[in-house]
Amino acid sequence: QVHLVESGGGLVQAGGSLSLSCAASRLTFSLYAMGWFRQAPGKEREFVAVIRRSGGTYYADSVKGRFTISRDNAKNTVYLQMNSLKPEDTAVYYCAADHTFTIATMASEKEYTYWGQGTQVTVSS
């Protein structure tokens, strides 16, 4: 059974930084695109960023220039470095794995096969 486990969430002041990690097990990690999504209270879950098997990255406009996604295939881990955090970044952050990446559908939850349980990020003003 595949497991994705996020860590690194917490409470931070606006303007601060946090680094999230997502460790995968029982998954041929290098064959999957890995994405980050988030869900704020009362809102739909939304795409944040994705990193392809090749290392190519894509970001939501709302986080571009502030967040950086990266991966370490040797450690089966994907990271999300979040800088210049804003209160509107407050959400539960989820990582997800996609075996059939396409640019057209990379922001769609439906494309992702495996999901973590989420980690809470709270940004205070």
Side-chain angles (χ1 to χ4, degrees):
Q1 186 175 357
V2 172
H3 283 104
L4 301 179
V5 180
E6 301 95 337
S7 61
L11 174 64
V12 65
Q13 288 190 331
S17 299
L18 278 176
S19 181
L20 305 184
S21 300
C22 171
S25 59
R26 301 187 180 183
L27 181 75
T28 308
F29 186 78
S30 61
L31 297 183
Y32 285 78
M34 298 299 298
W36 286 96
F37 286 73
R38 66 186 181 186
Q39 187 168 21
K43 294 189 176 181
E44 301 276 325
R45 189 154 55 181
E46 65 175 4
F47 169 79
V48 174
V50 64
I51 184 165
R52 302 178 68 168
R53 295 180 294 177
S54 63
T57 58
Y58 302 87
Y59 297 91
D61 287 344
S62 59
V63 306
K64 204 171 291 182
R66 299 188 298 122
F67 291 11
T68 302
I69 188 171
S70 61
R71 66 189 297 160
D72 185 338
N73 288 343
K75 295 183 178 180
N76 285 4
T77 301
V78 60
Y79 305 96
L80 187 68
Q81 177 65 41
M82 304 184 295
N83 298 328
S84 302
L85 282 161
K86 305 175 181 179
E88 51 263 45
D89 294 318
T90 295
V92 177
Y93 283 71
Y94 298 89
C95 70
D98 176 14
H99 189 52
T100 57
F101 176 89
T102 66
I103 292 176
T105 59
M106 65 181 181
S108 171
E109 298 182 52
K110 297 177 182 179
E111 291 303 307
Y112 293 78
T113 306
Y114 302 110
W115 291 82
Q117 82 290 346
T119 187
Q120 176 70 47
V121 171
T122 303
V123 185
S124 63
S125 56

